[in-house]
Amino acid sequence: MLDKTHDQALLSWVDSANGHPQFPIQNLPFGVFSPPSGVPRVGVAIGDAVLDLAALSRAGLLDTSVSEACDRPELNALMLLGSGARRLIREKLSSLLSERGARMAVSDALYLAADCTLHLPARIGDYTDFYAGIHHARAVGKIFRPDEPLMPNYVHLPIGYHGRSSSIVASGTPVKRPSGQVVGEQGPIFSSSAKLDYELEMAIWIGGANDRGSTVPIRDAQNAVWGYGLLNDWSARDIQSWEYRPLGPFLSKNFITTVSPWVTTPEALAPFRRPAFPRDTRPMDYLFDDADQAGGGVDISLEVSLSTTRSRDEGLPDFVLSVSHSRYLYWTAAQLVAHHASGGCPLRAGDLFGTGTISGPAKHEAGSLLELSTDGRVPVDLPSGETRTYLQDGDEITLRGICKKDGFASISLGECRGRIE
Ligand code: MN
């Protein structure tokens, strides 16, 4: 799985890429961007720049088999070409961006990222949100069901629900506080949500997998994953606690969901693989694969930070609300894919999975304010002198994900940001 594209010593003639905390030449995440006064097309992040793959194709620098798929306002066509095409482009770009001889030809296809608009990476057909963060499931369970925090099914199958793709937006899109039914002193009323929360999740982009009625064997399931990003599943807890019985989340979660714009590939994450979550209960056969157990997990340090109107006015830096880690996911991406398809549900290119909120066992590792403030009962102190139970207007939440390992260049999933209007 490791090759010369992962070499820590590999440098790019794009100077800003060398030592770049997010997008060194070893990362090369895919996305969709518009250059100044241009239409959306496929690009790759490199340092402070975006490389225009449509322009590279027109210049004859990419294989003709992928050219057409790069001149689109979404990654779907490229996803349909499978993991082979994705690897081919990665290898080609790694050469083009490291060999000085290619500089003249490639420079024309580079834009300063700060001048570009980043879009949703794919046309999302279906969106499913899971509940794979076991410490979140246990902590939330403890708040609402002290005697049975973790439901007995949790260790046997990945819990999830079908969400809405219509309200998924790219990082940076303003967040409008929803109104809905909440329980007041005299019973249910229709009101603006007073318990607006975030959820720290990872995004899993599906590259297409199976036809209706067929399944995805666990040993092939990782191949259906086209890439990874960050996802904020904004949640209105007061709406949620009234509406969720008995069918689960509905309007409390479908008003907006923010994703990071860059899709980090399985190839870029290859050095950062780890074993699946250690467990007492062996998963059923259709969810069990030796290779997946040995290396289906991934090592990504996660962070949630907050700025408020006051903290920005006073020039204070973003305040880190919590840190967490992808190792707290009880199910691997392959297990989520295999389970989702196990009854014959087709997974299509551009489908999106949220992992579920990723919290750690410690208090400072909570991936939501529901946990950090124990559903509003224990306010969180901020360096600005303010406190928070839930989010207030003007608050901005940023999710970050960083991979670090000795002997390899650090890479990042980028940022997932949203400010409440
Ligand atoms: Mn969620």
Side-chain angles (χ1 to χ4, degrees):
M1 281 289 275
L2 295 181
D3 57 38
K4 60 183 190 216
T5 67
H6 300 101
D7 184 354
Q8 186 180 26
L10 192 65
L11 295 176
S12 174
W13 49 261
V14 179
D15 291 331
S16 66
N18 301 323
H20 194 276
Q22 297 185 316
F23 309 124
I25 192 168
Q26 292 83 0
N27 193 350
L28 302 177
F30 289 79
V32 173
F33 80 104
S34 300
S37 68
V39 296
R41 79 279 309 261
V42 174
V44 161
I46 175 77
D48 293 337
V50 179
L51 182 59
D52 181 344
L53 296 200
L56 273 193
S57 298
R58 280 195 294 276
L61 293 171
L62 288 184
D63 195 280
T64 50
S65 64
V66 300
S67 294
E68 205 177 310
C70 291
D71 202 1
R72 301 275 184 111
E74 77 248 336
L75 291 173
N76 299 58
L78 202 52
M79 289 169 157
L80 276 171
L81 296 178
S83 54
R86 189 183 61 221
R87 271 188 218 106
L88 191 77
I89 297 175
R90 175 181 172 85
E91 282 161 22
K92 183 70 180 175
L93 295 185
S94 183
S95 305
L96 287 175
L97 289 166
S98 58
E99 290 162 11
R100 293 217 157 253
R103 182 177 189 151
M104 283 291 281
V106 174
S107 294
D108 284 348
L110 278 177
Y111 294 92
L112 207 56
D115 296 337
C116 298
T117 307
L118 298 174
H119 305 284
L120 274 182
R123 181 169 31 82
I124 303 163
D126 283 299
Y127 161 53
T128 300
D129 195 28
F130 285 96
Y131 202 48
I134 186 169
H135 299 297
H136 170 76
R138 200 177 271 130
V140 171
K142 223 176 250 169
I143 294 171
F144 295 111
R145 291 180 309 274
D147 10 321
E148 196 183 33
L150 208 59
M151 302 291 262
N153 58 2
Y154 192 87
V155 297
H156 297 287
L157 55 78
I159 306 292
Y161 66 94
H162 287 122
R164 292 285 294 179
S165 54
S166 63
S167 50
I168 300 174
V169 300
S171 178
T173 306
V175 177
K176 185 176 177 330
R177 182 182 296 271
S179 289
Q181 277 203 25
V182 301
V183 179
E185 310 248 303
Q186 324 282 330
I189 53 169
F190 191 85
S191 164
S192 175
S193 170
K195 289 191 174 182
L196 183 52
D197 199 359
Y198 62 86
E199 288 192 340
L200 165 63
E201 306 197 17
M202 279 170 56
I204 297 171
W205 293 96
I206 302 299
N210 61 313
D211 297 326
R212 185 171 56 82
S214 71
T215 62
V216 182
I218 180 78
R219 66 176 179 280
D220 302 332
Q222 180 59 49
N223 201 39
V225 175
W226 207 85
Y228 299 82
L230 298 161
L231 183 147
N232 186 343
D233 180 22
W234 302 95
S235 300
R237 302 299 182 193
D238 40 4
I239 299 174
Q240 185 180 356
S241 61
W242 170 238
E243 74 174 3
Y244 86 100
R245 278 177 274 220
L247 288 187
F250 187 34
L251 307 187
S252 56
K253 285 169 179 282
N254 70 6
F255 54 97
I256 195 168
T257 304
T258 308
V259 291
S260 57
W262 293 112
V263 180
T264 293
T265 62
E267 290 73 38
L269 288 175
F272 308 101
R273 285 289 166 184
R274 63 175 292 124
F277 194 94
R279 52 171 68 229
D280 302 327
T281 315
R282 188 188 191 274
M284 289 184 203
D285 286 346
Y286 80 99
L287 295 172
F288 187 91
D289 174 66
D290 284 324
D292 185 50
Q293 289 297 306
V298 63
D299 254 323
I300 304 176
S301 297
L302 302 165
E303 181 188 287
V304 183
S305 62
L306 167 72
S307 75
T308 67
T309 305
R310 191 199 292 187
S311 76
R312 290 188 299 273
D313 285 350
E314 292 179 1
L316 298 171
D318 281 16
F319 171 61
V320 176
L321 273 177
S322 64
V323 293
S324 187
H325 198 280
S326 56
R327 70 174 176 271
Y328 300 137
L329 289 170
Y330 191 78
W331 301 99
T332 65
Q335 287 174 317
L336 300 182
V337 167
H339 182 66
H340 206 309
S342 62
C345 171
L347 300 176
R348 297 177 297 190
D351 282 359
L352 175 65
F353 289 178
T355 55
T357 307
I358 307 173
S359 301
K363 193 75 184 177
H364 70 279
E365 296 176 300
S368 69
L369 280 168
L370 170 66
E371 295 154 87
L372 278 178
S373 75
T374 319
D375 193 22
R377 293 196 279 277
V378 186
V380 178
D381 292 318
L382 307 182
S384 57
E386 302 166 278
T387 61
R388 282 294 179 278
T389 51
Y390 284 103
L391 296 170
Q392 295 187 7
D393 294 350
D395 287 359
E396 182 174 85
I397 290 289
T398 304
L399 314 181
R400 294 185 179 85
I402 295 158
C403 306
K404 273 192 195 329
K405 188 178 182 183
D406 284 347
F408 293 92
S410 295
I411 65 168
S412 160
L413 301 185
E415 287 184 359
C416 179
R417 187 186 292 266
R419 185 182 297 183
I420 298 158
E421 286 182 322

